[in-house]
């Protein structure tokens, strides 16, 4: 059974940093790409970014609102993906989900999601 | 690629036929996914490839469209279908979601 468990959320002040983790199990993690999606309270879903597997050079991509501030990494020995968030802004307050994609091309989709971890940026 | 969902809010009764529209700012072929989200829960995959029903999703859900215009139709709304629905394009990075459609009980 696929399981994704996020951790590391909390309350931080604007300008501070936070690192989220997504521990995965139940599938071949090292061969998979991993994505992060966030959702502000009462708002819609926003794609944050992704990291590919080693065969794809661990390539990363980010949404415009986080590019240059957030970094996604992974530790395949620990089956864990990370989201390093720097220079946090109040607008980054959200629930952060990690997701495991399946399929390719037009069949690409997010079939598995973690339970989410809440990040609050406030002074 | 921007996705515009309509309506943003929909009030309907059990048994109603409901249609939600998602329009892309540029052609995305069939690279369109639909999710259902209930309060306090992660999104749930409903439809991918614009029209392929995810395993386990009831057949009252139907997705259609290609290019820039897509719809999801619920043929007979059930109590468990009251939720928020999102479309997502997976053709181009950055991946993007529509703004959501909240389906509430009339």
């Amino acid at each position: 059974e696929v399981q994704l468990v996020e951790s590391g959320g909390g309350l931080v002040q604007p300008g501070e940093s936070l690192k989220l983790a997504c521990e995965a199990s139940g599938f071949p993690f090292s061969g998979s790409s991993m994505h992060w999606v966030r959702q502000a309270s009462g708002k819609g879903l926003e794609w944050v970014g992704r990291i590919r597997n080693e065969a794809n050079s661990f390539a990363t991509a980010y949404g415009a609102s986080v590019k240059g501030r957030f970094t996604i990494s992974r530790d395949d020995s620990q089956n864990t993906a990370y989201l390093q968030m720097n220079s946090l802004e109040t607008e980054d307050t959200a629930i952060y989900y990690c997701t495991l994609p399946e399929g390719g091309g037009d069949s690409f989709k997010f079939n598995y999601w973690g339970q989410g971890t809440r990040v609050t940026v406030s002074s | 690629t921007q996705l515009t969902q309509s309506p943003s809010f929909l009030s309907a009764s059990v048994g109603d036929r409901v249609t939600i529209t998602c329009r892309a700012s540029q052609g995305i072929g069939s690279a369109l996914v639909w999710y259902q989200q209930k309060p306090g829960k992660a999104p749930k995959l409903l439809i991918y490839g614009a029209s392929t029903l995810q395993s386990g999703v009831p057949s009252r859900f139907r997705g259609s469209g290609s290019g820039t215009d897509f719809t999801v139709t619920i043929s007979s709304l059930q109590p468990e279908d009251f939720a928020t629905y999102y479309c997502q394009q997976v053709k181009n990075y950055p991946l993007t979601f529509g703004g959501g459609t909240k389906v509430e009980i009339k």
Side-chain angles (χ1 to χ4, degrees):
Chain A
E1 179 194 4
V2 172
Q3 283 201 313
L4 302 170
V5 180
E6 301 95 336
S7 61
L11 172 64
V12 296
Q13 294 193 344
E16 293 186 338
S17 299
L18 199 62
K19 188 172 186 177
L20 307 183
C22 170
E23 187 171 352
S25 60
F27 65 97
F29 180 81
S30 63
S32 304
S33 63
M34 296 297 297
H35 293 238
W36 289 89
V37 173
R38 70 182 182 182
Q39 185 171 37
S41 181
K43 302 296 183 182
L45 301 168
E46 180 185 10
W47 181 77
V48 172
R50 66 101 166 106
I51 185 166
R52 287 185 162 160
N53 58 17
E54 183 174 9
N56 288 287
S57 305
F58 302 121
T60 55
Y62 300 94
S65 62
V66 307
K67 197 171 186 179
R69 299 187 300 123
F70 289 12
T71 302
I72 300 174
S73 61
R74 62 192 294 159
D75 182 343
D76 289 349
S77 69
Q78 298 293 319
N79 284 0
T80 300
Y82 300 97
L83 178 63
Q84 175 69 47
M85 304 183 294
N86 297 333
S87 303
L88 281 162
E89 304 167 352
T90 55
E91 293 77 15
D92 297 317
T93 295
I95 295 174
Y96 286 74
Y97 296 99
C98 65
T99 77
L100 169 68
E102 284 189 322
D106 288 357
S107 294
F108 184 93
K109 65 269 190 190
F110 292 150
N111 193 18
Y112 299 99
W113 298 69
Q115 84 289 350
T117 187
R118 185 178 297 274
V119 172
T120 302
V121 184
S122 175
S123 55
Chain B
T1 304
Q2 268 193 310
L3 295 179
T4 303
Q5 268 185 255
S6 61
S8 54
F9 177 85
L10 189 159
S11 181
S13 301
V14 172
D16 284 354
R17 180 184 180 90
V18 165
T19 296
I20 299 168
T21 297
C22 180
R23 176 163 288 176
S25 60
Q26 63 186 80
I28 57 171
S30 297
L32 196 284
V33 185
W34 290 97
Y35 301 91
Q36 177 194 67
Q37 187 180 33
K38 296 183 178 180
K41 300 291 187 182
K44 173 189 171 184
L45 173 66
L46 293 178
I47 292 165
Y48 62 93
S51 61
T52 302
L53 209 61
Q54 172 65 10
S55 176
V57 173
S59 59
R60 62 181 179 271
F61 289 90
R62 180 176 178 273
S64 65
S66 67
T68 60
D69 294 310
F70 302 87
T71 60
V72 62
T73 298
I74 309 171
S75 59
S76 178
L77 203 62
Q78 297 302 300
E80 59 269 30
D81 300 337
F82 291 96
T84 301
Y85 294 83
Y86 294 95
C87 58
Q88 178 199 27
Q89 68 81 20
V90 295
K91 182 70 172 179
N92 305 304
Y93 280 91
L95 305 182
T96 46
F97 291 89
T101 297
K102 187 173 185 180
V103 178
E104 288 201 342
I105 301 173
K106 183 184 282 184

